[in-house]
Amino acid sequence: MRSHHMTIEISAHFTFELDGPTDILLQYEAADIPEQSVLWTDSRIDKSDYFARVAAQDEIGTRIWLRKEGHCEVDYKARIAIHRLTADLSALPAMQQHELPGETVQYLFDSRYCPAERFHSFVQEEFGTIEGGAKIVAMRDWVADHMSYEPGSSHSNTTALDSFVERRGICRDYAHVIVTMARAAGIPARYVSVYAPDVAPPDFHAIAEVFLADPDGSGRGTWHMVDGTFMADPEHTVKIGVGRDAADVSFLTSFGACDFREKTVRTEIVSD
């Protein structure tokens, strides 16, 4: 395992319009968790009828509930220290399903955008002779080699199967395909919303995480980042939140009509 120390500066700004009183769920703030520390933050949202922060999935990050109508503007700035341990994925063994911690089990199952059962035969044929983290590396490389990154090529209903068939997508779709393949191989995998400085064009980014055994043979396991676009280096990546797929961790979920207007995101390395 290798330890890395890096400081990342983030800014994000977006606006939207609501015709009438509407419930909104936001998740855009960097998570304050052991592998990264929030050194400074300034998060501003236009006044609303209701505002509350609630815990996000797996206790990683927070969500914000709003109830509001009319114009809404969100402005966020933060400085984050990264102190994440990373490892050579190809050297890590997988864990037997019966040995998995209870909280990881949900990430073996199909979810809205990740129909893992549909991928069993392909994963067995393509990667069946490879084990553990080496299988994840092979899946990541397959996605990178066989899919084209094409902004605008997918939409909110695009599943991993759609992206697999069409061989194109954006970061969301790359993450969904890797998550789906890993689950089809019996390896827990989840979707992660992040900030990363090398994302082009600059935006919120999505990657996968897989649960593999520790290299020391202790029998414990941990989550490891995997990005088929190769734009998010774990040493420089800031987690926002995690979920079964994109439905769980969108930066904006509207429970009513919402007219999204504009968005700018900037992520920079400021020191190491």
Side-chain angles (χ1 to χ4, degrees), residues 130-264:
I130 315 170
E131 298 297 331
K135 180 174 288 190
I136 296 298
V137 170
M139 291 173 178
R140 178 201 65 193
D141 293 346
W142 188 97
V143 169
D145 291 342
H146 290 80
M147 289 182 62
S148 298
Y149 193 91
E150 296 182 16
S153 62
S154 62
H155 49 77
S156 60
N157 292 321
T158 299
T159 68
L161 183 58
D162 297 326
S163 301
F164 176 81
V165 170
E166 296 178 9
R167 298 289 201 266
R168 61 179 183 168
I170 58 173
C171 61
R172 169 190 186 276
D173 308 304
Y174 278 58
H176 280 156
V177 174
I178 292 174
V179 165
T180 304
M181 288 184 178
R183 291 179 187 170
I187 297 173
R190 64 188 184 186
Y191 181 99
V192 191
S193 175
V194 304
Y195 292 105
D198 294 327
V199 173
D203 205 340
F204 295 101
H205 192 53
I207 63 172
E209 271 193 326
V210 296
F211 195 84
L212 296 167
D214 288 335
D216 59 9
S218 63
R220 297 186 300 271
T222 190
W223 291 100
H224 298 271
M225 294 181 171
V226 186
D227 185 11
T229 73
F230 285 88
M231 289 193 286
D233 183 334
E235 298 179 23
H236 310 151
T237 298
V238 177
K239 284 185 184 177
I240 300 171
V242 304
R244 294 164 298 175
D245 53 37
D248 287 342
V249 70
S250 172
F251 74 92
L252 187 156
T253 302
S254 175
F255 295 85
C258 176
D259 182 10
F260 194 80
R261 293 297 178 87
E262 60 176 330
K263 175 181 59 176
T264 58

Side-chain angles (χ1 to χ4, degrees), residues 117-128:
E117 289 189 6
R118 302 285 298 276
F119 280 71
H120 283 163
S121 59
F122 170 79
V123 166
Q124 180 59 34
E125 291 171 8
E126 188 73 23
F127 310 108

Side-chain angles (χ1 to χ4, degrees), residues 39-199:
L39 303 178
W40 174 87
T41 185
D42 182 20
S43 185
R44 302 184 183 190
I45 303 175
D46 286 345
K47 186 177 179 180
S48 58
D49 296 330
Y50 181 83
F51 175 98
R53 281 190 168 85
V54 295
Q57 186 145 325
D58 291 357
E59 301 295 324
I60 294 177
T62 59
R63 294 170 170 146
I64 297 173
W65 275 117
L66 298 179
R67 184 164 180 81
K68 185 174 175 58
E69 64 179 312
H71 180 78
C72 188
E73 188 166 342
V74 178
D75 193 61
Y76 173 66
K77 296 181 176 62
R79 182 170 284 206
I80 312 298
I82 306 293
H83 29 81
R84 179 173 293 120
L85 294 174
T86 62
D88 177 6
L89 284 184
S90 63
L92 299 178
M95 296 182 68
Q96 296 295 318
Q97 281 82 14
H98 67 271
E99 297 174 334
L100 290 168
E103 65 271 15
T104 68
V105 173
Q106 65 176 313
Y107 298 114
L108 289 170
F109 304 144
D110 283 13
S111 59
R112 176 177 174 181
Y113 295 114
C114 299
E117 289 189 6
R118 302 285 298 276
F119 280 71
H120 283 163
S121 59
F122 170 79
V123 166
Q124 180 59 34
E125 291 171 8
E126 188 73 23
F127 310 108
T129 61
I130 315 170
E131 298 297 331
K135 180 174 288 190
I136 296 298
V137 170
M139 291 173 178
R140 178 201 65 193
D141 293 346
W142 188 97
V143 169
D145 291 342
H146 290 80
M147 289 182 62
S148 298
Y149 193 91
E150 296 182 16
S153 62
S154 62
H155 49 77
S156 60
N157 292 321
T158 299
T159 68
L161 183 58
D162 297 326
S163 301
F164 176 81
V165 170
E166 296 178 9
R167 298 289 201 266
R168 61 179 183 168
I170 58 173
C171 61
R172 169 190 186 276
D173 308 304
Y174 278 58
H176 280 156
V177 174
I178 292 174
V179 165
T180 304
M181 288 184 178
R183 291 179 187 170
I187 297 173
R190 64 188 184 186
Y191 181 99
V192 191
S193 175
V194 304
Y195 292 105
D198 294 327
V199 173

